[in-house]
Amino acid sequence: MLAELLLNSLVRCEPTARRLGYGRAQVGLWSRSRRCAKAWAPHHAETRAFVESLLAGQPQGGTAWVLGAGLLDDLPLAALAAKFDRVLLADIAWLPMQLWRLKHYPNVEARLFDVSGVVPMMLEWQPGKPLPEPQPEAMQALDVDKPALVLSLNLLSQLPLLPLEKLERAGQSFATRQAYGRRIVAAHLAGLRQLDCRVGLVSEQRRIFRNRAGEVVMSESALFDITPPVAEKEWGWNLAPLGEIDNQTALELRVFASSDLSVSA
């Protein structure tokens, strides 16, 4: 608890994003990742292996973008730094320990960046007004140089979460929130498809809740029922083992990885 309080004061985050809760959410993610390190390790290894498979066929040099770089646990940083002249890591909040790790890689830069393009507008939104339109092209403002590779890692399903929390606090209906979440997810997919380079996408696609006996008690789309691209590989992520949510419920995510976003499953 004391560590989280300290990190909340040290997290690097734009004021608008902080007011919507992104700094707090990043600290919470770090805290859960430490508690669940063993359960999360296979997912991190699968994500790193997928990225490394993309690097194997990638020409040397140029710039790589990583959208949703997060805690860096699922990134093969050394391999990325060795392959590209520049690596830009984009996230909406950064913790000091992640920034410290990057000091070992002079060609790797962490940037504060709102991939969805809705955060400042969402902060100002009030009930009765039109909801901010997600911007598929928002990610293209990350850098003036065209990327040779773009990675979106464990981000797609997360983009709507805090905007939808604000809608819920404002009394918006479940249907309204679901429809807006779908718009945000669709915009990110559209933005990735607009990029003129190779793209790698890793995202959860389903949330599966199990009881103590391991039986499925609920399964739901993590992408607001949007059909994801065809998966090159799929795996399970034991996000919340028994005891993390409560003593009766565990949460598993079904994750997919794809580098062909032109076709949906």
Side-chain angles (χ1 to χ4, degrees):
M1 181 63 73
L2 289 176
E4 290 188 28
L5 288 173
L6 177 61
L7 282 177
N8 273 316
S9 67
L10 296 176
V11 64
R12 184 178 163 199
C13 191
E14 295 289 354
T16 51
R18 185 183 293 274
R19 288 169 61 191
L20 274 179
Y22 285 95
R24 166 183 50 79
Q26 196 76 332
V27 172
L29 177 65
W30 170 83
S31 183
R32 175 174 276 189
S33 75
R34 304 285 79 82
R35 293 193 304 271
C36 303
K38 184 176 180 180
W40 289 18
H43 164 69
H44 290 155
E46 291 281 9
T47 304
R48 289 193 297 268
F50 173 69
V51 173
E52 288 168 349
S53 73
L54 297 182
L55 297 184
Q58 187 73 26
Q60 189 74 26
T63 299
W65 297 357
V66 182
L67 309 178
L71 304 180
L72 307 180
D73 295 331
D74 51 9
L75 271 184
L77 269 177
L80 283 163
K83 173 66 71 170
F84 296 97
D85 299 324
R86 300 169 66 225
V87 180
L88 301 182
L89 307 180
D91 214 310
I92 202 161
W94 286 98
L95 298 177
M97 60 279 278
Q98 274 67 56
L99 297 176
W100 179 257
R101 283 180 62 186
L102 299 184
K103 293 182 181 296
H104 300 288
Y105 306 99
N107 62 332
V108 179
E109 178 185 346
R111 290 194 180 179
L112 289 175
F113 193 72
D114 168 25
V115 173
S116 70
V118 304
V119 170
M121 295 181 289
M122 198 69 217
L123 185 64
E124 301 300 325
W125 174 84
Q126 296 295 328
K129 294 183 178 180
L131 286 165
E133 192 63 39
Q135 305 295 318
E137 66 280 3
M139 65 186 72
Q140 296 184 32
L142 178 61
D143 194 58
V144 294
D145 292 339
K146 293 181 63 175
L149 175 70
V150 172
L151 303 171
S152 174
L153 301 182
N154 302 299
L155 173 67
L156 181 63
S157 66
Q158 303 302 299
L159 288 172
L161 297 185
L162 288 182
L164 296 193
E165 280 189 16
K166 174 161 183 175
L167 294 187
E168 185 173 15
R169 291 194 301 270
Q172 301 299 294
S173 70
F174 177 77
T176 296
R177 301 197 307 270
Q178 288 292 108
Y180 193 55
R182 185 180 179 90
R183 284 163 60 187
I184 293 174
V185 168
H188 187 62
L189 285 172
L192 292 175
R193 287 169 173 145
Q194 289 173 6
L195 295 169
D196 187 22
C197 66
R198 195 173 192 191
V199 175
L201 172 65
V202 176
S203 172
E204 65 224 47
Q205 56 183 323
R206 293 205 70 79
R207 301 185 187 100
I208 302 170
F209 295 86
R210 300 181 184 274
N211 61 20
R212 291 189 66 86
E215 301 164 331
V216 175
V217 295
M218 186 172 73
S219 176
E220 63 182 11
S221 171
L223 300 178
F224 301 88
D225 294 320
I226 287 179
T227 302
V230 171
E232 294 169 30
K233 193 169 185 182
E234 297 185 41
W235 61 86
W237 179 3
N238 188 11
L239 182 74
L242 283 173
E244 182 65 23
I245 298 174
D246 57 44
N247 290 327
Q248 302 299 321
T249 309
L251 172 58
E252 175 190 339
L253 305 179
R254 291 302 303 170
V255 179
F256 74 94
S258 177
S259 62
D260 184 1
L261 275 59
S262 63
V263 182
S264 295

